[in-house]
Protein backbone atom coordinates (compact mmCIF):
# COMPACT_ATOMS: atom_id res chain seq x y z
CA UNK A 1 0.00 0.00 0.00
CA UNK A 2 1.35 3.42 -0.96
CA UNK A 3 2.18 5.86 1.78
CA UNK A 4 -0.20 8.82 1.98
CA UNK A 5 1.13 12.32 1.45
CA UNK A 6 -0.31 15.37 3.15
CA UNK A 7 -0.05 19.10 3.66
CA UNK A 8 -1.67 21.68 5.93
CA UNK A 9 -3.54 24.77 4.79
CA UNK A 10 -3.00 27.64 7.22
CA UNK A 11 -3.49 31.39 7.28
CA UNK A 12 -0.94 33.14 9.46
CA UNK A 13 0.59 36.58 9.66
CA UNK A 14 4.19 36.92 10.87
CA UNK A 15 3.94 39.69 13.47
CA UNK A 16 7.68 40.40 13.43
CA UNK A 17 7.46 41.13 9.68
CA UNK A 18 4.43 43.36 10.34
CA UNK A 19 6.47 45.29 12.92
CA UNK A 20 9.34 45.66 10.44
CA UNK A 21 6.95 46.89 7.72
CA UNK A 22 5.40 49.43 10.13
CA UNK A 23 8.84 50.77 11.12
CA UNK A 24 9.86 51.19 7.48
CA UNK A 25 6.54 52.87 6.66
CA UNK A 26 6.94 55.29 9.59
CA UNK A 27 10.43 56.23 8.39
CA UNK A 28 9.07 56.96 4.91
CA UNK A 29 6.22 59.05 6.34
CA UNK A 30 8.69 61.15 8.37
CA UNK A 31 10.61 61.94 5.17
CA UNK A 32 7.64 62.61 2.87
CA UNK A 33 6.85 66.23 2.13
CA UNK A 34 3.06 65.75 2.12
CA UNK A 35 3.19 64.42 5.69
CA UNK A 36 5.33 67.27 7.10
CA UNK A 37 3.66 68.80 10.17
CA UNK A 38 0.87 66.23 10.24
CA UNK A 39 -0.04 63.81 12.98
CA UNK A 40 0.29 60.40 11.33
CA UNK A 41 1.11 57.20 13.16
CA UNK A 42 0.84 53.42 12.84
CA UNK A 43 0.89 51.16 15.89
CA UNK A 44 0.60 47.44 16.43
CA UNK A 45 -1.41 46.57 19.54
CA UNK A 46 -1.42 42.80 20.07
CA UNK A 47 -2.93 41.60 16.75
CA UNK A 48 -4.48 44.89 15.68
CA UNK A 49 -3.14 47.76 13.62
CA UNK A 50 -4.07 51.29 14.71
CA UNK A 51 -3.70 53.99 12.06
CA UNK A 52 -3.98 57.65 13.08
CA UNK A 53 -3.87 60.72 10.84
CA UNK A 54 -5.17 64.28 10.36
CA UNK A 55 -7.84 63.50 7.75
CA UNK A 56 -9.40 60.60 5.90
CA UNK A 57 -7.36 61.48 2.81
CA UNK A 58 -4.07 61.30 4.73
CA UNK A 59 -5.30 58.13 6.44
CA UNK A 60 -5.75 56.51 3.01
CA UNK A 61 -2.25 57.63 2.01
CA UNK A 62 -0.89 56.24 5.28
CA UNK A 63 -2.64 52.94 4.59
CA UNK A 64 -1.19 52.81 1.04
CA UNK A 65 2.36 53.35 2.33
CA UNK A 66 1.89 50.67 5.00
CA UNK A 67 0.39 48.14 2.57
CA UNK A 68 3.21 48.67 0.04
CA UNK A 69 5.82 48.00 2.74
CA UNK A 70 3.93 44.89 3.88
CA UNK A 71 3.81 43.54 0.33
CA UNK A 72 7.58 44.00 0.02
CA UNK A 73 8.04 41.97 3.22
CA UNK A 74 5.65 39.19 2.03
CA UNK A 75 2.99 39.95 4.66
CA UNK A 76 -0.46 38.88 3.41
CA UNK A 77 -2.52 42.08 3.19
CA UNK A 78 -5.73 40.12 2.59
CA UNK A 79 -5.62 39.16 6.26
CA UNK A 80 -6.21 42.74 7.43
CA UNK A 81 -9.85 43.50 8.20
CA UNK A 82 -10.29 47.24 8.56
CA UNK A 83 -12.90 48.68 10.90
CA UNK A 84 -14.78 51.91 10.40
CA UNK A 85 -13.04 55.26 10.53
CA UNK A 86 -13.62 56.96 13.88
CA UNK A 87 -12.85 60.40 15.28
CA UNK A 88 -9.80 60.81 17.51
CA UNK A 89 -8.54 63.71 19.62
CA UNK A 90 -7.68 67.14 18.11
CA UNK A 91 -9.70 66.55 14.92
CA UNK A 92 -7.69 63.50 13.85
CA UNK A 93 -9.18 60.24 12.56
CA UNK A 94 -8.36 56.69 13.58
CA UNK A 95 -8.91 53.33 11.93
CA UNK A 96 -8.25 49.89 13.34
CA UNK A 97 -7.25 46.89 11.25
CA UNK A 98 -7.51 43.42 12.76
CA UNK A 99 -4.87 40.92 11.65
CA UNK A 100 -6.68 37.65 10.97
CA UNK A 101 -4.82 34.56 12.18
CA UNK A 102 -6.14 31.12 11.26
CA UNK A 103 -9.00 29.99 9.06
CA UNK A 104 -12.53 30.66 10.31
CA UNK A 105 -15.45 28.25 9.81
CA UNK A 106 -16.87 30.11 6.82
CA UNK A 107 -13.59 29.97 4.88
CA UNK A 108 -13.06 26.34 5.97
CA UNK A 109 -16.38 25.45 4.34
CA UNK A 110 -15.36 27.30 1.16
CA UNK A 111 -12.02 25.44 1.08
CA UNK A 112 -13.74 22.08 1.55
CA UNK A 113 -16.23 22.90 -1.22
CA UNK A 114 -13.42 23.84 -3.63
CA UNK A 115 -11.54 20.61 -2.85
CA UNK A 116 -14.66 18.43 -3.20
CA UNK A 117 -15.65 20.13 -6.49
CA UNK A 118 -12.19 19.42 -7.91
CA UNK A 119 -13.07 15.69 -8.02
CA UNK A 120 -9.64 14.61 -6.79
CA UNK A 121 -9.16 11.63 -4.51
CA UNK A 122 -8.08 13.48 -1.38
CA UNK A 123 -9.39 13.70 2.18
CA UNK A 124 -9.67 16.81 4.32
CA UNK A 125 -9.55 17.14 8.08
CA UNK A 126 -10.39 20.33 9.96
CA UNK A 127 -7.93 20.88 12.81
CA UNK A 128 -8.79 24.01 14.84
CA UNK A 129 -7.80 26.90 12.55
CA UNK A 130 -6.14 24.84 9.79
CA UNK A 131 -7.11 22.18 7.26
CA UNK A 132 -5.09 19.04 6.55
CA UNK A 133 -5.34 17.50 3.10
CA UNK A 134 -4.18 13.89 2.58
CA UNK A 135 -4.03 11.75 -0.52
CA UNK A 136 -2.09 8.88 -2.06
CA UNK A 137 -1.11 10.77 -5.20
CA UNK A 138 1.16 13.80 -4.79
CA UNK A 139 -0.04 15.16 -8.14
CA UNK A 140 -3.56 15.38 -6.70
CA UNK A 141 -2.21 17.40 -3.78
CA UNK A 142 -0.44 19.74 -6.19
CA UNK A 143 -3.70 20.21 -8.10
CA UNK A 144 -5.52 21.03 -4.84
CA UNK A 145 -2.91 23.70 -4.07
CA UNK A 146 -3.29 25.14 -7.58
CA UNK A 147 -7.10 25.20 -7.28
CA UNK A 148 -6.94 26.97 -3.91
CA UNK A 149 -4.47 29.56 -5.20
CA UNK A 150 -6.87 30.40 -8.04
CA UNK A 151 -9.87 30.63 -5.68
CA UNK A 152 -11.03 34.05 -4.53
CA UNK A 153 -11.03 33.78 -0.73
CA UNK A 154 -11.19 36.52 1.92
CA UNK A 155 -7.89 35.41 3.46
CA UNK A 156 -4.42 34.53 2.22
CA UNK A 157 -3.52 30.84 2.43
CA UNK A 158 -0.15 29.21 3.07
CA UNK A 159 0.61 25.56 2.45
CA UNK A 160 2.93 24.00 5.04
CA UNK A 161 4.14 20.56 6.22
CA UNK A 162 4.10 19.07 2.73
CA UNK A 163 5.02 15.40 3.18
Amino acid sequence: MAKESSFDIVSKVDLSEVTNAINIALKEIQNRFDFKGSVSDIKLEKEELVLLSDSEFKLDQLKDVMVSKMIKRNVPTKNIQYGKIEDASKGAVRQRGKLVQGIDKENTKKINTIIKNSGLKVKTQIQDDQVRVTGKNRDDLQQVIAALREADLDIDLQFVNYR
Side-chain angles (χ1 to χ4, degrees):
M1 184 170 144
K3 184 178 176 235
E4 288 200 340
S5 300
S6 67
F7 68 91
D8 295 334
I9 304 168
V10 297
S11 181
K12 294 199 188 284
V13 178
D14 187 0
L15 294 177
S16 62
E17 288 297 329
V18 172
T19 304
N20 291 339
I22 289 172
N23 290 337
I24 294 168
L26 287 173
K27 282 182 185 176
E28 181 175 324
I29 288 164
Q30 288 174 351
N31 294 329
R32 277 182 54 166
F33 181 74
D34 54 340
F35 280 100
K36 290 278 190 236
S38 74
V39 178
S40 296
D41 192 27
I42 308 169
K43 291 180 185 164
L44 181 66
E45 296 176 354
K46 295 183 183 173
E47 290 188 6
E48 190 173 65
L49 294 167
V50 180
L51 292 97
L52 179 75
S53 195
D54 294 336
S55 64
E56 287 188 34
F57 177 73
K58 283 201 176 160
L59 188 73
D60 286 339
Q61 287 183 322
L62 184 68
K63 203 184 310 181
D64 288 341
V65 170
M66 182 192 65
V67 166
S68 70
K69 301 307 174 197
M70 286 184 168
I71 289 171
K72 286 182 181 177
R73 302 201 67 83
N74 293 325
V75 175
T77 55
K78 268 187 170 180
N79 288 24
I80 304 172
Q81 292 178 343
Y82 293 104
K84 63 179 182 170
I85 297 173
E86 52 195 44
D87 293 330
S89 62
K90 298 181 184 175
V93 291
R94 175 187 307 121
Q95 187 173 26
R96 296 182 182 276
K98 186 175 183 288
L99 294 171
V100 178
Q101 299 275 27
I103 304 172
D104 59 341
K105 288 184 180 183
E106 181 182 318
N107 283 314
T108 302
K109 288 178 185 176
K110 288 180 186 177
I111 290 169
N112 275 337
T113 304
I114 291 167
I115 292 171
K116 295 233 184 311
N117 290 342
S118 68
L120 299 168
K121 293 185 178 182
V122 293
K123 293 180 271 184
T124 58
Q125 284 181 315
I126 300 168
Q127 301 174 335
D128 292 331
D129 58 353
Q130 68 182 22
V131 179
R132 174 161 287 169
V133 180
T134 57
K136 290 183 180 178
N137 191 349
R138 284 186 171 220
D139 293 337
D140 289 348
L141 297 179
Q142 291 287 343
Q143 288 177 333
V144 168
I145 291 173
L148 289 172
R149 284 200 173 128
E150 290 176 11
D152 185 35
L153 295 170
D154 301 342
I155 56 174
D156 188 64
L157 300 176
Q158 293 94 30
F159 308 100
V160 296
N161 297 335
Y162 188 80
R163 294 184 204 120

